[in-house]
Amino acid sequence: MFRSRAKEEKAPADKAAVSFSKQPRDPQAPKGRPTPKRSEAQSQRRSVASTPTTRKDAAKRQREERRQALERQRKALAGGDERYLPARDKGPVRRFARDWVDSRFNMAEFFLPFAVVILVLSVVRVPSIQTLALWLWAVVIVLIVVDAVLSGFRLRKRLAERFPDQNRRGAVAYALMRSLQMRRLRLPKPQVKRGERP
């Protein structure tokens, strides 16, 4: 009685659309999309089933995924698996820089043992030994700086020869930072022995 004319005109069209969709489809007629593979359909069903329903479930799932990613990354750092390494360690250039540092002796990696010896000498209350400790500090620091500069030049040259077309930016600084760490504490773990050419 109080309906508008526009609604009355729309109603039959909607009914027609519904009745049209219920007609049986010819089995030979194309359906307009490719049939998904069984594995794709199963993975879609699993993803719909495992979608978290509450915010608490979503946060719990996100924490679990982050924990698994960190675990994979930790194993990759221990074993050298390129797929799960952090972005700063990925790529053939970084791998070569790591192997180059690990294959040689670096003055900087002996800094901690030298520092302990020098601190012990500086504690002794004999002026001549304390003076010796100060001179040892200066000698160790100069040796580390000279070794780092020479290593940087050599590594830059080797990288230019080995990877002329790849991005080498930051690789020398990365290698020098690695050389400051003691060999057994380096991550990713060294993959080459000392003296072995990378």
Side-chain angles (χ1 to χ4, degrees):
M1 184 173 163
F2 295 107
R3 281 192 207 156
S4 68
R5 243 174 176 204
K7 285 185 181 174
E8 285 176 8
E9 288 172 0
K10 277 187 181 176
D14 292 344
K15 286 178 186 171
V18 170
S19 63
F20 178 73
S21 66
K22 292 195 176 184
Q23 288 180 353
R25 189 176 65 83
D26 182 16
Q28 301 298 320
K31 61 180 179 287
R33 60 181 172 78
T35 304
K37 292 182 180 175
R38 180 181 294 221
S39 60
E40 291 172 3
Q42 287 174 345
S43 68
Q44 285 176 352
R45 278 200 300 267
R46 276 194 215 104
S47 67
V48 169
S50 64
T51 303
T53 54
T54 64
R55 197 167 149 225
K56 193 174 181 181
D57 290 343
K60 184 178 178 183
R61 183 175 173 183
Q62 203 171 24
R63 275 196 307 272
E64 182 64 25
E65 287 173 358
R66 194 179 311 119
R67 189 189 64 74
Q68 288 174 354
L70 287 172
E71 180 65 21
R72 279 196 305 266
Q73 198 175 80
R74 188 185 63 76
K75 286 180 181 174
L77 286 170
D81 188 356
E82 284 277 334
R83 292 175 298 169
Y84 302 116
L85 286 176
R88 70 181 171 88
D89 296 314
K90 278 187 178 175
V93 175
R94 297 294 171 107
R95 183 178 181 90
F96 180 81
R98 282 197 306 272
D99 291 346
W100 191 84
V101 167
D102 295 338
S103 67
R104 58 191 300 274
F105 285 98
N106 304 287
M107 273 303 298
E109 68 183 285
F110 300 111
F111 174 74
L112 282 177
F114 282 142
V116 170
V117 170
I118 292 169
L119 283 173
V120 169
L121 290 175
S122 63
V123 171
V124 177
R125 295 285 181 182
V126 178
S128 60
I129 293 178
Q130 288 180 337
T131 306
L132 177 68
L134 284 173
W135 279 106
L136 280 174
W137 269 123
V139 168
V140 166
I141 289 171
V142 168
L143 285 174
I144 288 172
V145 169
V146 169
D147 184 49
V149 169
L150 292 175
S151 298
F153 280 127
R154 284 189 205 135
L155 179 58
R156 187 173 282 114
K157 186 178 175 185
R158 291 289 305 278
L159 286 171
E161 291 170 1
R162 191 88 172 250
F163 305 99
D165 300 329
Q166 294 192 30
N167 182 14
R168 303 182 300 273
R169 187 174 179 183
V172 174
Y174 171 76
L176 292 177
M177 288 302 293
R178 186 173 176 85
S179 72
L180 291 171
Q181 300 166 332
M182 294 175 72
R183 185 180 167 90
R184 67 179 62 184
L185 301 178
R186 292 174 185 165
L187 288 175
K189 294 284 185 190
Q191 303 292 313
V192 295
K193 295 176 182 175
R194 289 197 199 270
E196 189 179 325
R197 287 176 67 86

